[in-house]
Amino acid sequence: MSHARSPTVVGVQNFNAHEDAVALREAMKGFGTDEETIIQILTSRSNAQRQAISQAFTHEFGRDIIEDLKSELGGHFEDVIVALMLPPEEYLCKELHHCMEGMGTDEHTLIEILCTRTKKEIAAIVEAYERLYNRPLAEHMCSETSGDFRRLLTLIVTSAHQGARDEEAGVDAGRAQEAAQALYDAGEAKWGTDEEVFNKILAHESFAQLRQIFEEYKNISGRTIEQAIKSELDGELKEAMSAIVECVESAAAWFAGRLRAAMQGLGTDDRTLIRIVVSRSELDLGLIKAEYERLYDKTLESEIRQGETSGDYKRALVAILGPA
């Protein structure tokens, strides 16, 4: 299964939000900050537990824990801790907003967040985005992207609620065959490619349904859907559709590749490294670690330890990765 669960962060049993809130306040009071306690507590609690700590902190001390953490910490270490403290969909909204603001749009981040999530996850992001920024995500995206790429992303976002219902319904083999035939007719079987058909099917269908469609496609065409996309499409649309196809096959392998790219070459893409490690920690980071080692013959932990991360930033990432 492409979206099997394999979290590295599962929360603690006998959790006590009040005790954690007091310990965190102590860690930030007075001269100096006890970073070790902050890392130890926040990387081992689940996001739901962190939200409870946040409420207990406000209740007990009349303070906002995120603001306190920001004033005590700095650099990428602060980024990791703040990412852990935000509800998952709010954190991803913040990342989407950031990648569309200012000069130019970071299409890779749009693809990473929107082409790899389940319909249910997308629906939660869409809802949170409008609440946080007072404008629909689809509208913001439309102003920052263009062409078939824009249409694909807009379809993913606007069909999320219906898609979430379809996900519950399971796989429909008959429909999968029709969709596979439609993809074949729109691409390999004719001169030029009808991107609209590709868009509609890849944006609307759940990962489970797409897996069935891609199987059928191979039967009809004799080629894989990946081969078709690579030869029929180009640019951002190709990158986005390839991400969807690869996540249908194995989301963990796709994210492992993205982590590898973030750590290779000149300088580390810290924002991507943090976003993947934090946002997948309660989903499939265990599988991503295994895939990373299988694909690159190195553990993700050793890459992070030997890479350009340092100090508390490195310690926090390694703590989220969990034991080897």
Side-chain angles (χ1 to χ4, degrees):
M1 282 297 287
S2 70
H3 280 71
R5 290 188 64 76
S6 170
T8 58
V9 174
V10 291
V12 291
Q13 292 179 318
N14 309 320
F15 167 67
N16 185 318
H18 172 76
E19 277 176 17
D20 282 352
V22 170
L24 287 165
R25 176 82 175 117
E26 285 302 312
M28 292 188 278
K29 255 172 48 181
F31 282 113
T33 305
D34 177 359
E35 288 89 354
E36 207 173 309
T37 297
I38 293 172
I39 293 171
Q40 191 266 314
I41 293 176
L42 295 179
T43 61
S44 61
R45 306 308 187 257
S46 67
N47 193 276
Q49 289 174 341
R50 291 182 214 118
Q51 300 316 315
I53 293 170
S54 182
Q55 286 176 331
F57 196 90
T58 304
H59 186 258
E60 193 62 32
F61 308 111
R63 305 173 69 92
D64 180 327
I65 193 168
I66 291 183
E67 290 309 315
D68 277 12
L69 286 162
K70 279 181 175 172
S71 70
E72 293 294 327
L73 312 175
H76 295 308
F77 176 47
E78 177 190 320
D79 296 337
V80 176
I81 297 299
V82 171
L84 288 170
M85 288 308 300
L86 291 168
E89 62 280 5
E90 285 190 16
Y91 171 51
L92 292 175
C93 285
K94 197 173 136 238
E95 292 295 290
L96 283 169
H97 190 261
H98 177 267
C99 84
M100 293 189 284
E101 282 299 286
M103 293 290 288
T105 298
D106 173 2
E107 286 86 3
H108 303 301
T109 300
L110 282 178
I111 290 168
E112 180 208 303
I113 295 175
L114 296 173
C115 296
T116 63
R117 277 4 193 230
T118 66
K119 302 298 180 205
K120 200 173 163 191
E121 288 167 333
I122 297 283
I125 290 169
V126 167
E127 224 160 90
Y129 199 91
E130 193 157 355
R131 190 177 75 242
L132 292 170
Y133 299 108
N134 236 343
R135 72 186 289 196
L137 174 58
E139 181 200 289
H140 193 174
M141 262 178 0
C142 277
S143 66
E144 299 296 329
T145 53
S146 60
D148 287 306
F149 178 60
R150 169 163 74 191
R151 276 196 284 280
L152 175 70
L153 293 186
T154 306
L155 278 172
I156 287 173
V157 164
T158 52
S159 69
H161 282 285
Q162 177 58 47
R165 287 193 288 277
D166 292 345
E167 260 173 4
E168 307 286 310
V171 174
D172 180 331
R175 271 196 328 116
Q177 211 165 357
E178 287 165 28
Q181 188 64 53
L183 284 172
Y184 181 68
D185 295 342
E188 292 185 68
K190 63 192 277 267
W191 283 98
T193 305
D194 185 349
E195 284 88 355
E196 208 47 49
V197 175
F198 274 77
N199 270 347
K200 195 161 169 278
I201 292 169
L202 268 74
H204 279 224
E205 303 294 354
S206 70
F207 285 113
Q209 183 72 14
L210 284 172
R211 187 172 304 113
Q212 186 75 30
I213 292 168
F214 298 161
E215 280 301 314
E216 295 292 346
Y217 186 91
K218 210 158 59 191
N219 296 339
I220 295 168
S221 154
R223 291 209 299 176
T224 66
I225 191 79
E226 275 115 320
Q227 290 167 319
I229 284 169
K230 287 196 164 76
S231 65
E232 303 286 331
L233 305 170
D234 52 25
E236 291 147 358
L237 184 65
K238 175 163 126 180
E239 189 188 330
M241 289 201 176
S242 295
I244 294 171
V245 171
E246 285 173 44
C247 282
V248 168
E249 303 292 326
S250 166
W254 189 85
F255 279 109
R258 185 101 167 106
L259 283 168
R260 176 82 169 171
M263 291 187 285
Q264 294 297 304
L266 277 170
T268 302
D269 176 357
D270 294 287
R271 199 166 189 124
T272 297
L273 178 57
I274 294 167
R275 186 173 54 247
I276 294 175
V277 169
V278 170
S279 71
R280 306 310 292 184
S281 60
E282 289 185 56
L283 299 170
D284 56 0
L285 189 55
L287 277 177
I288 293 170
K289 278 164 51 178
E291 282 298 301
Y292 196 96
E293 194 169 355
R294 185 182 70 79
L295 291 165
Y296 308 113
D297 231 12
K298 284 181 172 167
T299 67
L300 184 51
E301 182 179 330
S302 70
E303 289 273 69
I304 287 173
R305 282 187 185 282
Q306 288 158 15
E308 296 174 16
T309 65
S310 61
D312 293 315
Y313 170 39
K314 181 192 292 187
R315 277 189 282 279
L317 286 177
V318 168
I320 298 166
L321 286 181

